[in-house]
Amino acid sequence: MNEVGVRKAFDRKLYNVADRDAKAAALRFIKDMNYTTIDTSERKDYDIVCKAVDSAVHHLYEVEIKYAWKGDWPPYWKEIRIPYRKVRLLKKWKEDYPDSLFTFLVFRDDCKKAWHIDANIIADCEVKEVSNRNIEKGEKFFHIPTEDASLIDIP
């Protein structure tokens, strides 16, 4: 077992749909942010890499859809969970892009709302194992308190 532990098997079909829809929603969100370049090409690291106008700083985005989230965020969901396997992106960011911004966007199933989470918050939050329908024993997740994230509307 590797450092991230047990994890859900990769589902290429689900990935293709979720990746396409989440990237499209993220592009709607960032369209007015004056980036000179926006790279959404298929890569093994960040979903979207942008460069700001007149700046060497990159803005990195990791996007995903939480399909169980329908309608308003349930008030009894006190945290947002990001799979711990994303720790590799946090490490890469610190090593390869230390002066850049890194943001996670977790979209509702219809991609009309999202949680906007600074990667520094994720790097400092608790990691716990959670049993779910995919992994009975449990998979590790970052547990981000909702008060540490911003709920945003997506055009």
Side-chain angles (χ1 to χ4, degrees):
M1 185 181 339
N2 60 24
E3 117 182 18
V4 298
V6 178
R7 55 191 242 194
K8 175 176 96 167
F10 183 72
D11 179 336
R12 172 61 68 183
K13 186 177 175 185
L14 177 61
Y15 169 80
N16 288 341
V17 171
D19 186 61
R20 177 198 67 213
D21 293 351
K23 281 182 179 176
L27 290 173
R28 291 194 307 273
F29 171 67
I30 67 174
K31 71 177 173 62
D32 296 326
M33 292 188 182
N34 294 321
Y35 291 126
T36 56
T37 60
I38 299 174
D39 180 2
T40 62
S41 60
E42 186 63 29
R43 6 176 358 119
K44 296 288 184 189
D45 52 15
Y46 312 101
D47 290 319
I48 301 173
V49 177
C50 305
K51 190 167 179 208
V53 174
D54 298 328
S55 173
V57 173
H58 287 84
H59 197 148
L60 314 168
Y61 291 93
E62 182 65 12
V63 299
E64 68 176 58
I65 298 173
K66 181 171 181 60
Y67 287 107
W69 175 18
K70 299 175 188 322
D72 292 336
W73 184 262
Y76 55 89
W77 287 0
K78 301 292 186 197
E79 58 196 19
I80 305 132
R81 295 179 183 165
I82 304 281
Y84 184 68
R85 65 181 177 269
K86 304 291 182 172
V87 71
R88 68 181 173 75
L89 298 177
L90 294 171
K91 289 177 181 178
K92 183 173 179 53
W93 168 52
K94 295 292 187 185
E95 293 168 5
D96 296 348
Y97 297 95
D99 297 325
S100 295
L101 304 170
F102 184 19
T103 301
F104 282 74
L105 295 172
V106 179
F107 293 96
R108 185 170 68 187
D109 73 324
D110 64 0
C111 294
K112 299 286 186 185
K113 288 207 176 274
W115 285 106
H116 183 281
I117 311 164
D118 184 288
N120 286 305
I121 298 291
I122 296 169
D124 292 336
C125 73
E126 187 175 13
V127 174
K128 296 187 279 189
E129 190 175 284
V130 177
S131 296
N132 58 51
R133 68 176 184 247
N134 298 306
I135 305 292
E136 185 177 325
K137 179 191 176 306
E139 181 176 1
K140 288 182 181 179
F141 287 86
F142 291 102
H143 291 249
I144 302 99
T146 54
E147 60 267 13
D148 290 343
S150 299
L151 187 59
I152 58 173
D153 292 315
I154 304 298

